[in-house]
């Protein structure tokens, strides 16, 4: 992107959900879902090679600071759940794209731990960004296209009750 934008890459669970939550702060320009942090080229959800599901966020730092974006990130996911609970694919990780981001992320993790907001200690990793493997078009903006998310497309229970009368 240009000199007037910055890119953040964040992993905090299901990329569909994270994309929907991270697109709303004032100053976010665009978001994409993908994979990062593993050893396999062209990962998929089923064959991810150690990658995490991530959201790439392009934002205007004049309108939204990196720290401000991380504040939202830490509010919308559980940074105290380790991989044994959520799995490696859905781990909490911040992939820094600039050296300054690393410092801000590490400082933010200390602040989150000191806040006592979460039940356990923050397990969020901080790693240098590697190759961003974009998910397919069917996984981009998923919850905007399907607001009911993963709910099966069959009638609701109350629809069955009403039709039985």
């Amino acid at each position: 992107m240009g000199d007037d934008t910055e890119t953040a890459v964040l992993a905090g669970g299901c990329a569909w959900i994270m994309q929907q939550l991270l697109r709303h702060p004032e100053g976010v320009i665009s978001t994409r879902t993908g994979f990062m942090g593993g050893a396999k080229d062209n990962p998929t959800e089923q064959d991810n090679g150690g990658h995490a599901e991530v959201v790439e966020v392009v934002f205007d730092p004049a309108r939204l600071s990196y720290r401000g974006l991380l504040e939202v990130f830490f509010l919308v996911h559980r940074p105290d759940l380790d991989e044994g609970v959520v799995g490696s694919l859905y781990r909490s990780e911040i992939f820094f794209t600039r050296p300054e981001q690393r410092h801000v992320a590490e400082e933010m993790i200390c602040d989150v731990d000191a806040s006592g907001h979460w039940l356990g200690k923050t397990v969020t990793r901080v790693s240098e960004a590697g190759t961003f493997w974009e998910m397919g078009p069917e996984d981009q903006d998923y919850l905007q296209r399907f607001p009911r998310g993963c709910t099966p497309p069959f009638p609701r229970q109350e629809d069955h009750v009403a039709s039985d009368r």
Side-chain angles (χ1 to χ4, degrees):
M1 286 282 149
D3 289 339
D4 53 344
T5 64
E6 194 170 330
T7 301
V9 182
L10 305 169
C14 172
W16 294 345
I17 295 168
M18 292 303 293
Q19 182 182 36
Q20 186 66 10
L21 295 170
L22 293 172
R23 75 170 7 112
H24 293 293
E26 183 70 27
V28 170
I29 297 166
S30 66
T31 59
R32 294 189 301 164
T33 58
F35 299 97
M36 189 176 284
K40 179 179 179 13
D41 289 353
N42 300 307
T44 65
E45 185 176 5
Q46 296 75 25
D47 187 15
N48 58 66
H51 287 282
E53 287 194 9
V54 299
V55 177
E56 177 191 74
V57 181
V58 177
F59 62 100
D60 177 353
R63 295 172 43 211
L64 175 65
S65 69
Y66 183 65
R67 183 176 174 91
L69 180 61
L70 291 184
E71 288 172 0
V72 173
F73 173 69
F74 280 110
L75 286 173
V76 300
H77 86 291
R78 290 284 307 269
D80 61 330
L81 297 179
D82 65 26
E83 291 181 31
V85 175
V86 298
S88 178
L89 184 64
Y90 302 116
R91 67 185 180 260
S92 179
E93 191 161 359
I94 298 168
F95 295 93
F96 61 91
T97 60
R98 302 163 46 154
E100 302 83 26
Q101 287 184 351
R102 179 183 192 155
H103 175 73
V104 171
E106 290 170 345
E107 194 173 83
M108 186 75 193
I109 289 169
C110 290
D111 291 347
V112 169
D113 277 339
S115 76
H117 180 77
W118 297 109
L119 297 175
K121 183 171 173 44
T122 302
V123 297
T124 304
R125 298 179 188 175
V126 178
S127 305
E128 186 171 5
T131 302
F132 176 84
W133 298 97
E134 186 173 9
M135 288 182 179
E138 67 280 1
D139 291 310
Q140 303 301 325
D141 306 311
Y142 187 87
L143 291 178
Q144 280 194 315
R145 294 181 294 117
F146 302 102
R148 291 179 66 188
C150 301
T151 305
F154 19 96
R156 300 177 312 229
Q157 181 65 29
E158 56 269 25
D159 293 340
H160 287 292
V161 173
S163 65
D164 291 340
R165 293 185 194 161

